[in-house]
Amino acid sequence: MMRTGREIRVRAYPAGSVSPDDFELVEVPVPRPGPGQVLVRNTWTSVDPGLRLRLRPDAPSGYFAAFPLGRAMDGIMTVGEVVESRAEGFAPGDVVWHAQGWREYAAVDAGAEQLSGLGTLTRLDLDECEPQWYLGPLGGMGLTAYAGLHVVDALRGGETVWVSAAAGAVGSLAVQIARLTGNRVVASAGTDEKVDWLRDSLGAEAFNYRVGNLGASLGGIAPDGIDVYFDSVGGTHLETALSHLRRGGRVALCGSISEYESGSAGPRNLFLAVSKDLTLRGFRGSSNLHLMGQMQRQMAGWLRAGELDYRQTVFTGLESAPHALTEMIAGRTTGKTLVSLD
Ligand SMILES: NC(=O)c1ccc[n+]([C@@H]2O[C@H](COP(=O)([O-])OP(=O)(O)OC[C@H]3O[C@@H](n4cnc5c(N)ncnc54)[C@H](OP(=O)(O)O)[C@@H]3O)[C@@H](O)[C@H]2O)c1
């Protein structure tokens, strides 16, 4: 009998908020690996805000390609186990990452560049590591947090750094990297439980941005201003940061999740970048692959020493991936959002 697996496809591009109804779960034959390919049984797959930017006919210029309708979704980070190999250097039992997620089985071309190189088929070192950490602190999330702080020169310590969406996958790592490298960290998130975690376990001075006035909350913690803002939110958060940055301050523009479903919302005070000699620096984790090795060594060291607190919110079964995406965008997940396929 023919073996089958399941994959998720986009049924329709959402207008406004994404819904599980925008996707369909389809049963397909397990692919047979061709020459130079491996067959991977995926065990963990990633859920990322950036997927929302690709659920439309055209993704933003320069970004990863939009997902086509009615086909498997390419370009989503995933961890799995090789079950058959026709590629040199890979053998059954190898645990790998690649970028053909949101499906149970994938035939992956060894050596073919995926996700600008971030998702190219790679065997993972599991020495004292859980496989799914490679979708979090030891993978793209760790790289994004580390690279963002690196490109605005915030790894030298001694400064005040504000991190938004701070209890999320990238944010919670940015908070800890900034603190472990000697900075004072202010962190904001959207629930009191997240704020407690940021304050009690991650060592940040934290506030709930949904309570009271954003500028007053930030100013209450950092009355003398901030040196660096790690921006995952955009809109009014970025506007508030521009108001509170000191002269010569820097912004790592990581993402703008407040605008992914509703369109651009500012900032309206961009002239402050001129008047205060600010640097606003956009960056991509995948554009900083040269930092991957040093980031992984640093993170693995902190994880083994118990200095880095890593949380994940796990949904079970491929069918839960669309729901996981909507929950994450709504702020109902903490740490890295993952789907377990085992
Ligand atoms: N530049 C890159 O290469 C790169 C790579 C990966 C991710 N990113 C970006 O980094 C950001 C975080 O990604 P992630 O994977 O770590 O996701 P995440 O933080 O784990 O999840 C997104 C979080 O954003 C918060 N949020 C949602 N809507 C918001 C709003 N209107 N205002 C303020 N906060 C809001 C929610 O937490 P609350 O409960 O706190 O609201 C939610 O949990 C996103 O902007 C993403 O696009 C960039």
Side-chain angles (χ1 to χ4, degrees), residues 8 24 36 92 114 172 195 221 259 271 319:
I8 298 208
E24 59 187 340
Q114 296 194 41
S172 62
V195 168
I221 293 178
E259 305 177 356
F271 183 73
E319 64 280 7

Side-chain angles (χ1 to χ4, degrees), residues 49-50 141 144 165 168-170 189-190 194 209-210 232-233 237 254-258 260 283-285 328-329 331 333 335:
M141 302 299 107
T144 301
V170 173
K194 292 182 182 185
Y209 72 85
R210 291 184 198 269
S232 288
V233 175
H237 276 61
C254 176
S256 51
I257 193 167
S258 68
Y260 293 173
F283 74 99
R284 303 274 297 276
M328 185 204 57
I329 292 172
T333 63

